[in-house]
Amino acid sequence: MAKELKEMTKRADNYSQWYNDLVVKADLAEQSAVRGCMVIKPYGYAIWEKMQQQLDKMFKETGHVNAYFPLLIPKSFLSREAEHVEGFAKECAVVTHYRLRTNATHDGVEVDPSAKLEEELIIRPTSETIIWNTYKNWINSYRDLPILCNQWANVFRWEMRTRMFLRTAEFLWQEGHTAHATAEEAQEEAIKMLNVYADFAEKYMAVPVVKGVKSANERFAGALETYTIEAMMQDGKALQSGTSHFLGQNFAKAFDVKFLNRENQLEYVWASSWGVSTRLMGALIMTHSDDNGLVLPPHLAPIQVVIIPIYKNAEQLHAIREKVDPIVAELRKAGISVKFDDADNKRPGFKFADYELKGVPVRLVLGARDIENGTVEIMRRDTLEKHSAPLEGIAQYVEKLLEDIQENIYQNALKQRESMTREVNSYDEFKQEIEKGGFLLCHWDGTPETEEKIKEETKATIRCIPLDGDKTPGKCMVTGKPSAQRVIFARNY
Amino acid sequence: MAKELKEMTKRADNYSQWYNDLVVKADLAEQSAVRGCMVIKPYGYAIWEKMQQQLDKMFKETGHVNAYFPLLIPKSFLSREAEHVEGFAKECAVVTHYRLRTNATHDGVEVDPSAKLEEELIIRPTSETIIWNTYKNWINSYRDLPILCNQWANVFRWEMRTRMFLRTAEFLWQEGHTAHATAEEAQEEAIKMLNVYADFAEKYMAVPVVKGVKSANERFAGALETYTIEAMMQDGKALQSGTSHFLGQNFAKAFDVKFLNRENQLEYVWASSWGVSTRLMGALIMTHSDDNGLVLPPHLAPIQVVIIPIYKNAEQLHAIREKVDPIVAELRKAGISVKFDDADNKRPGFKFADYELKGVPVRLVLGARDIENGTVEIMRRDTLEKHSAPLEGIAQYVEKLLEDIQENIYQNALKQRESMTREVNSYDEFKQEIEKGGFLLCHWDGTPETEEKIKEETKATIRCIPLDGDKTPGKCMVTGKPSAQRVIFARNY
């Protein structure tokens, strides 16, 4: 592992390669035998599980329930909503047959041509269609509303260029699908879930995000409005980290879902949908980690504290363990996950490098002299600073340190983002500045044409029209036409 | 709902229809637009979530970690292991294309013939092949072993005759896949997980199970030995509820997974796999429920206690709420999920029937007179018995009652099974007895031919060769040849 660490690319040399190396070397994920699909390894999955648990709790606290809808969607469903089919039908996995048979040479299997489906089935790229087809049976009157369902599921989009966690053909996600009696309520729901996502990103992932609205070009296929949280990676590129959509009555109309309102009139149902995915793992990795490996926020680290004994013989190990056992018990009682690593087939130096690579927030090291002196060596992963502290009261000390680290990495990411966010007022300046990365706050005339031109010429897109902050109007940097407020341009993942 | 309840088939009239009605009317699941695939509705999913959480805890306590492997498997993988392909390649969903395009009449989409895959992909019916192909990269030496991974996932088998939860084309499950340095260790793992499943079934689902070994005919395709837990439903039919397999070196050989053992020699890795699925929901429903609806074991009930106020005006409701609030707080503190249903758009009688249908274990009813007298009316769902109890100390009383109900429904199921389990000594007697249902303990000569003959003539199969209990040898009821011990025959789901 120490050897592998040396082989890891430095961020300054090649940020993109550094990310790929890190995902593999920290045992988070690896490529599978299926093009564009990854294997999420146990350590990576443990982080995803912690994300899931926290998000699921937040969804339930805001009144949502979980359900499960079919993996496969009849082909015809996709074309019911005109924009949706444009956005999703193009790249999808199509099931055409339901049986294999032994081949003629008896050395393998082949598709049985007699087992062809009448209508092909699509592996869900997202579930609006199958869910709204189901909601039709659930909704008759305003008394059946709202419906506030979430689904944890795998989805599949046949992506041409994939990168682990950031863009994979199959990925894991949650998708909320809600049905409401009024447009206002559906809108409020979309905003509510945007806020849940932002809270989660900031308080658990320690990733600062900008909340905003997408421009028409970047809107979800079938939505009237798409809200987004946008994070900035260390290389200054944006990462869309979660989206929430106000779908209006589009899917209700496509699947004929009406309800009797309080005035006893039939009306189409109003909808929202919202999702975050294993892409969040990419955001987590790229925001905090360094050339030594992962840096995990304590609130999501599978192992929050590792304790490594330094000993020459069984007697010394025994003495250390006697000191360590009550500390471990106390930390666990406080809900902190601790690993005491006394494996004797690995040298301490190897362990140090390995837990650094894995991003364990706090490392405690105890040797014979520490036992004599009643001290312990503490290293915090975020700053790599080491210092000695008294064993007495160490559990409370570590508890506080974990919160300090959580806050510190958030503040670092925020400073980084602020230092790379600036106002740009002319298109010439924009073309220079965009090469340096970061978020550029610019006036834009609100047209898809201007946005498209900027994208073609600079590879930058509008990440969002921020909900908070400065709303001063101005003039479009490209066309000079009026602009309601500055929007965020950036290159993105 | 009260109306719907009346429409529910009685068990005595048609057990099979009763089950189908119950699944739909208790809001557990419904058929979807995709043949053989169900929608798991929020109430059904909440029960499955409680099962998942408990099983996941038990897996982790026994040293396992979660990971995630691809949904799609290259066709050629399936044929690597000779028996496995026979068992699984026949009925599977085959992905042949990766794109749709707008059709000629511009009113829909069609498969783009130019987007044909070079090698077809199969939606996983089970993941041994893709996982062992991955393990090849993870294993070099005995120091990399054991690998103890579990995956929570959806799988797909193109079943011709489906029933909700019991047999669906897509279902949710967990699949454990472990790799070991010795045959003994892999065997021990298979037995260990069988015991975990049996503990879960008995302590959480309140479903008594027989642990046993499958005959060769019923073995998992690719296994050397399959272990099973078999439950008996109220109609006397068996339900295979979980299986655990000792796979020997079959998959290691198929995917060339070798390791350097302690003697520095290359050897194939030993394997186990084990799984339970949403089929457990079927076992849960069919074991305990009655003509009034679901009966849920308290340990898995999403709502354990419902409190219904009977009131004529806001003042009375207020007085009831004042009494109820501290009880709710006390129960929740004890980890019990409570719902106080003061919805005023439904009559109490409607609520009573609805919570009975949903299987809520304990119902408390409080009216004005109860407040005066300091009492509460308690109904337990398992026996439908009502009685009055003092409000004072009600939380502890309910806590104990929940445990009583858990134990009582387990004992009822056990008595039912015992009353329908008997020894049968001749094939003539067998043919009569099998019509009455239940488990028949018979001597069998150990050959697939005899088992096949019995199956053809009576529709009964060997559910398992029990691990515990009487091991007295005897003579096969069909051929008279020697038999090592009695095995369990039954008709099954």
Side-chain angles (χ1 to χ4, degrees):
Chain A
M1 196 64 72
K3 179 173 149 282
E4 284 178 358
L5 184 57
K6 280 186 203 134
E7 287 166 5
M8 208 169 88
T9 312
K10 302 268 175 283
R11 283 168 296 174
D13 294 341
N14 185 339
Y15 188 79
S16 175
Q17 189 59 45
W18 163 82
Y19 173 79
N20 295 344
D21 285 1
L22 184 50
V23 167
V24 171
K25 290 189 195 299
D27 272 343
L28 301 176
E30 65 183 36
Q31 298 292 356
S32 79
V34 185
R35 197 178 149 290
C37 296
M38 64 180 166
V39 171
I40 306 179
K41 298 184 78 173
Y43 193 62
Y45 200 85
I47 302 170
W48 174 242
E49 270 184 315
K50 291 205 90 169
M51 290 187 173
Q52 277 190 304
Q53 281 160 13
Q54 182 55 35
L55 283 166
D56 197 71
K57 188 162 169 268
M58 293 167 92
F59 298 158
K60 283 174 177 155
E61 282 167 359
T62 44
H64 301 87
V65 289
N66 288 327
Y68 189 76
F69 298 87
L71 169 71
L72 299 179
I73 298 179
K75 187 188 66 178
S76 60
F77 279 25
L78 282 189
S79 41
R80 294 265 196 106
E81 211 287 325
E83 289 180 23
H84 196 68
V85 69
E86 285 303 308
F88 288 103
K90 293 304 152 64
E91 294 171 346
C92 56
V94 188
V95 176
T96 57
H97 291 74
Y98 58 85
R99 198 187 304 132
L100 297 175
R101 65 179 186 190
T102 307
N103 63 9
T105 46
H106 288 274
D107 58 354
V109 283
E110 62 183 16
V111 175
D112 182 342
S114 73
K116 191 171 187 305
L117 288 168
E118 275 186 44
E119 180 179 3
E120 294 89 351
L121 297 166
I122 310 305
I123 300 182
R124 61 185 164 216
T126 181
S127 300
E128 277 77 7
T129 57
I130 188 91
I131 289 180
W132 278 87
N133 185 66
T134 306
Y135 281 177
K136 185 176 166 56
N137 305 321
W138 295 6
I139 301 169
N140 289 304
S141 119
Y142 69 90
R143 279 183 297 261
D144 301 320
L145 298 171
I147 292 176
L148 304 171
C149 277
N150 174 61
Q151 163 170 276
W152 289 97
N154 51 347
V155 287
F156 204 99
R157 299 174 188 177
W158 210 281
E159 302 284 354
M160 286 299 122
R161 302 181 67 175
T162 61
R163 291 191 73 186
M164 282 189 284
F165 292 119
L166 296 174
R167 193 176 295 279
T168 48
E170 183 188 10
F171 55 94
L172 303 183
W173 81 343
Q174 61 67 218
E175 46 183 327
H177 294 273
T178 69
H180 304 267
T182 66
E184 294 67 39
E185 230 187 273
Q187 271 275 18
E188 274 164 27
E189 168 78 11
I191 296 282
K192 180 196 279 178
M193 299 322 289
L194 184 77
N195 287 326
V196 165
Y197 288 157
D199 274 2
F200 174 75
E202 303 200 331
K203 292 183 187 145
Y204 292 86
M205 296 172 61
V207 172
V209 292
V210 177
K211 293 185 271 190
V213 185
K214 284 286 183 191
S215 64
N217 281 5
E218 301 278 328
R219 215 176 264 153
F220 177 78
L224 298 190
E225 205 75 278
T226 287
Y227 301 94
T228 179
I229 51 169
E230 299 282 328
M232 189 196 291
M233 303 298 98
Q234 291 178 59
D235 61 350
K237 281 169 86 172
L239 185 77
Q240 176 182 306
S241 304
T243 51
S244 164
H245 317 290
F246 169 55
L247 302 172
Q249 296 171 310
N250 286 352
F251 286 92
K253 284 177 182 165
F255 290 89
D256 193 31
V257 189
K258 292 179 191 164
F259 73 107
L260 267 183
N261 66 20
R262 283 173 191 273
E263 288 74 42
N264 219 31
Q265 290 165 326
L266 269 179
E267 192 181 340
Y268 285 112
V269 178
W270 298 87
S272 94
S273 69
W274 30 275
V276 294
S277 73
T278 34
R279 180 163 233 234
L280 288 179
M281 292 285 295
L284 189 74
I285 298 161
M286 284 208 294
T287 302
H288 306 300
S289 302
D290 62 24
D291 292 343
N292 290 359
L294 278 181
V295 174
L296 291 178
H299 292 178
L300 295 175
I303 304 167
Q304 294 171 298
V305 179
V306 63
I307 306 179
I308 298 172
I310 311 278
Y311 58 95
K312 293 201 182 101
N313 50 48
E315 195 188 344
Q316 283 188 356
L317 178 59
H318 180 76
I320 293 170
R321 199 181 276 130
E322 275 199 327
K323 289 285 181 191
V324 166
D325 283 348
I327 298 169
V328 169
E330 204 178 337
L331 286 169
R332 289 202 177 134
K333 211 175 149 193
I336 293 166
S337 65
V338 192
K339 181 169 173 183
F340 176 57
D341 186 352
D342 61 350
D344 57 6
N345 57 351
K346 290 168 190 161
R347 283 168 301 105
F350 178 93
K351 292 180 189 174
F352 294 176
D354 192 30
Y355 291 111
E356 272 176 42
L357 178 59
K358 297 272 173 67
V360 176
V362 172
R363 180 182 83 203
L364 304 182
V365 179
L366 271 108
R369 193 174 302 166
D370 290 304
I371 299 301
E372 272 171 37
N373 300 343
T375 58
V376 59
E377 185 197 273
I378 300 178
M379 192 202 68
R380 49 187 289 175
R381 177 62 186 88
D382 57 340
T383 60
L384 295 170
E385 285 163 4
K386 279 189 290 198
H387 66 282
S388 189
L391 268 175
E392 182 77 31
I394 192 69
Q396 296 93 308
Y397 182 89
V398 165
E399 254 188 275
K400 193 186 159 300
L401 181 59
L402 288 168
E403 291 307 312
D404 285 353
I405 295 172
Q406 180 79 26
E407 179 63 17
N408 184 52
I409 64 172
Y410 174 78
Q411 290 299 339
N412 283 345
L414 186 60
K415 265 181 245 155
Q416 156 88 358
R417 187 186 78 188
E418 283 174 353
S419 77
M420 295 188 81
T421 301
R422 61 260 187 221
E423 295 189 354
V424 164
N425 294 311
S426 82
Y427 194 37
D428 280 345
E429 191 190 352
F430 182 91
K431 285 176 185 165
Q432 284 177 0
E433 288 297 319
I434 200 68
E435 296 301 327
K436 300 176 197 158
F439 288 177
L440 304 186
L441 293 163
C442 312
H443 282 294
W444 159 65
D445 64 16
T447 68
E449 294 73 25
T450 303
E451 186 179 2
E452 195 54 47
K453 175 187 159 78
I454 296 170
K455 186 177 175 183
E456 271 171 27
E457 293 175 356
T458 69
K459 290 183 199 146
T461 52
I462 298 177
R463 300 322 305 152
C464 71
I465 304 155
L467 291 177
D468 306 323
D470 187 15
K471 304 278 186 198
T472 317
K475 284 186 174 154
C476 176
M477 65 172 173
V478 177
T479 63
K481 289 182 192 161
S483 150
Q485 69 169 94
R486 287 180 190 269
V487 302
I488 296 178
F489 277 93
R491 289 185 181 152
N492 71 296
Y493 281 97
Chain B
M1 197 63 75
K3 180 173 150 280
E4 284 178 358
L5 183 56
K6 279 185 204 133
E7 287 167 5
M8 209 169 86
T9 311
K10 302 268 175 283
R11 284 169 295 175
D13 294 340
N14 185 339
Y15 188 81
S16 175
Q17 189 59 45
W18 163 81
Y19 173 80
N20 295 344
D21 285 2
L22 184 51
V23 167
V24 171
K25 290 190 195 299
D27 271 342
L28 301 176
E30 65 182 37
Q31 297 292 357
S32 79
V34 184
R35 196 179 150 290
C37 296
M38 63 180 166
V39 171
I40 307 179
K41 298 184 77 174
Y43 192 62
Y45 200 85
I47 302 171
W48 174 242
E49 270 184 314
K50 292 204 90 170
M51 288 187 176
Q52 277 190 304
Q53 281 158 13
Q54 181 56 35
L55 283 166
D56 197 70
K57 188 163 170 266
M58 292 167 93
F59 298 158
K60 283 173 178 156
E61 283 168 359
T62 44
H64 301 87
V65 290
N66 288 327
Y68 189 77
F69 299 87
L71 169 71
L72 298 180
I73 299 179
K75 187 187 67 177
S76 60
F77 279 24
L78 281 190
S79 41
R80 293 265 197 105
E81 210 287 323
E83 289 180 24
H84 196 67
V85 69
E86 285 304 308
F88 288 103
K90 293 304 150 65
E91 295 171 345
C92 56
V94 189
V95 176
T96 56
H97 290 75
Y98 58 84
R99 198 187 305 133
L100 297 176
R101 65 179 186 190
T102 307
N103 64 10
T105 46
H106 287 275
D107 57 355
V109 283
E110 62 183 18
V111 174
D112 182 342
S114 73
K116 191 170 187 307
L117 289 169
E118 274 186 46
E119 180 180 2
E120 295 89 352
L121 297 166
I122 309 306
I123 300 183
R124 61 184 163 216
T126 180
S127 300
E128 276 76 7
T129 57
I130 188 91
I131 289 180
W132 278 87
N133 185 67
T134 306
Y135 281 177
K136 185 176 166 58
N137 305 321
W138 295 7
I139 301 169
N140 289 304
S141 118
Y142 70 91
R143 278 183 298 260
D144 301 319
L145 297 172
I147 293 176
L148 304 171
C149 279
N150 175 61
Q151 163 170 277
W152 289 96
N154 51 348
V155 286
F156 204 99
R157 299 174 188 177
W158 210 282
E159 301 285 353
M160 285 300 123
R161 303 181 65 174
T162 60
R163 291 191 72 184
M164 282 188 285
F165 292 120
L166 295 174
R167 192 175 296 278
T168 48
E170 184 188 8
F171 56 93
L172 304 184
W173 81 343
Q174 60 67 219
E175 46 182 326
H177 295 273
T178 68
H180 305 267
T182 66
E184 295 66 40
E185 231 188 272
Q187 269 276 18
E188 274 165 28
E189 169 78 10
I191 296 281
K192 180 196 280 177
M193 299 322 288
L194 184 77
N195 286 325
V196 165
Y197 288 158
D199 274 1
F200 174 75
E202 303 201 331
K203 292 183 186 145
Y204 292 85
M205 297 173 61
V207 172
V209 292
V210 177
K211 292 185 271 192
V213 184
K214 285 287 185 191
S215 63
N217 280 5
E218 301 279 328
R219 215 175 264 154
F220 176 78
L224 297 190
E225 204 76 278
T226 287
Y227 301 95
T228 180
I229 51 170
E230 298 283 328
M232 189 196 291
M233 302 298 99
Q234 291 178 60
D235 61 351
K237 282 168 86 172
L239 185 78
Q240 177 181 305
S241 304
T243 51
S244 164
H245 317 289
F246 169 56
L247 301 172
Q249 295 172 312
N250 286 350
F251 287 92
K253 284 178 181 165
F255 290 89
D256 193 31
V257 189
K258 291 179 191 163
F259 73 106
L260 266 183
N261 66 19
R262 282 173 192 274
E263 288 73 42
N264 219 31
Q265 289 165 325
L266 269 179
E267 192 182 340
Y268 285 112
V269 178
W270 299 86
S272 94
S273 69
W274 29 276
V276 294
S277 72
T278 35
R279 181 164 233 235
L280 288 179
M281 291 286 294
L284 189 74
I285 298 162
M286 284 210 292
T287 302
H288 306 300
S289 302
D290 62 24
D291 293 343
N292 290 358
L294 277 182
V295 174
L296 291 178
H299 292 177
L300 295 175
I303 305 167
Q304 294 171 299
V305 178
V306 63
I307 306 178
I308 298 172
I310 312 279
Y311 58 96
K312 293 200 182 101
N313 49 49
E315 196 188 343
Q316 284 188 355
L317 178 59
H318 180 76
I320 293 169
R321 200 181 275 129
E322 275 199 328
K323 289 285 181 192
V324 166
D325 282 349
I327 298 170
V328 169
E330 205 179 335
L331 286 169
R332 289 201 178 134
K333 212 175 147 192
I336 293 166
S337 65
V338 192
K339 181 170 174 183
F340 177 56
D341 187 351
D342 61 350
D344 57 7
N345 58 351
K346 289 168 191 163
R347 286 169 298 104
F350 178 94
K351 292 180 188 173
F352 293 175
D354 192 30
Y355 291 111
E356 271 176 42
L357 179 58
K358 297 271 174 70
V360 175
V362 171
R363 180 182 83 203
L364 304 181
V365 179
L366 272 106
R369 193 174 303 166
D370 290 305
I371 300 300
E372 273 172 37
N373 301 342
T375 59
V376 58
E377 185 196 272
I378 300 177
M379 193 202 67
R380 49 187 289 175
R381 177 63 186 87
D382 56 339
T383 60
L384 295 170
E385 284 164 3
K386 281 189 288 199
H387 65 282
S388 190
L391 268 174
E392 182 77 30
I394 191 67
Q396 296 94 307
Y397 183 89
V398 165
E399 254 189 275
K400 194 187 158 299
L401 180 59
L402 287 168
E403 289 307 312
D404 284 353
I405 295 172
Q406 180 78 28
E407 179 64 16
N408 184 51
I409 64 172
Y410 174 78
Q411 289 300 340
N412 283 345
L414 187 60
K415 266 181 242 152
Q416 155 88 0
R417 186 186 80 188
E418 283 174 354
S419 76
M420 296 188 81
T421 301
R422 62 260 187 219
E423 295 190 353
V424 164
N425 294 311
S426 81
Y427 194 37
D428 280 346
E429 190 190 352
F430 182 91
K431 284 175 183 164
Q432 285 176 358
E433 288 297 319
I434 200 69
E435 296 301 327
K436 301 176 196 159
F439 287 178
L440 305 186
L441 293 163
C442 313
H443 282 294
W444 159 64
D445 64 15
T447 68
E449 294 74 25
T450 302
E451 186 179 3
E452 196 54 48
K453 173 187 160 76
I454 296 169
K455 185 178 176 183
E456 270 170 29
E457 292 175 357
T458 68
K459 290 182 198 145
T461 52
I462 298 176
R463 300 322 306 152
C464 71
I465 303 155
L467 291 177
D468 306 322
D470 186 16
K471 304 277 186 198
T472 318
K475 282 187 175 155
C476 175
M477 64 172 172
V478 176
T479 63
K481 289 181 191 163
S483 150
Q485 69 169 93
R486 287 180 190 270
V487 302
I488 297 178
F489 276 93
R491 287 183 181 153
N492 70 297
Y493 281 96

